[in-house]
Amino acid sequence: TYVVTDACIRCKYMDCVEVCPVDCFYEGDNMLVINPSECIDCGVCEPECPAEAILPDTESGLEQWLELNNTFAAQW
Ligand code: SF4
């Protein structure tokens, strides 16, 4: 899955939301999140983010962001 990180906070360009084929972005108060159980790992959103906030969860150190994406996405 892909994960939205802190570079998204108060940015919300929304370009990523438009390209996602499965509509798995959700909008929180301060940032967007990706629902990890809906993301199909296509990678289309990553280059669309001008803030470079979207990363694959295979990168190290993203555990807390993955958890946050999961928690917020589950609320909607
Ligand atoms: Fe959507 Fe693909 Fe990005 Fe996952 S990797 S959030 S499916 S655009």
Side-chain angles (χ1 to χ4, degrees):
T1 184
Y2 278 70
V3 180
V4 184
T5 64
D6 53 345
C8 178
I9 294 173
R10 295 198 187 84
C11 145
K12 297 198 292 189
Y13 283 100
M14 309 295 278
D15 298 2
C16 53
V17 177
E18 284 169 31
V19 298
C20 179
V22 294
D23 269 339
C24 63
F25 280 94
Y26 294 83
E27 190 177 354
D29 289 341
N30 295 318
M31 63 182 283
L32 300 172
V33 295
I34 290 170
N35 185 339
S37 57
E38 291 175 358
C39 175
I40 57 170
D41 236 358
C42 70
V44 168
C45 56
E46 186 180 7
E48 294 298 323
C49 177
E52 297 184 9
I54 305 172
L55 298 169
D57 74 342
T58 47
E59 294 210 7
S60 60
L62 293 181
E63 292 81 7
Q64 62 163 350
W65 290 107
L66 178 59
E67 194 181 316
L68 184 143
N69 278 239
N70 199 16
T71 304
F72 279 156
Q75 293 173 0
W76 293 298

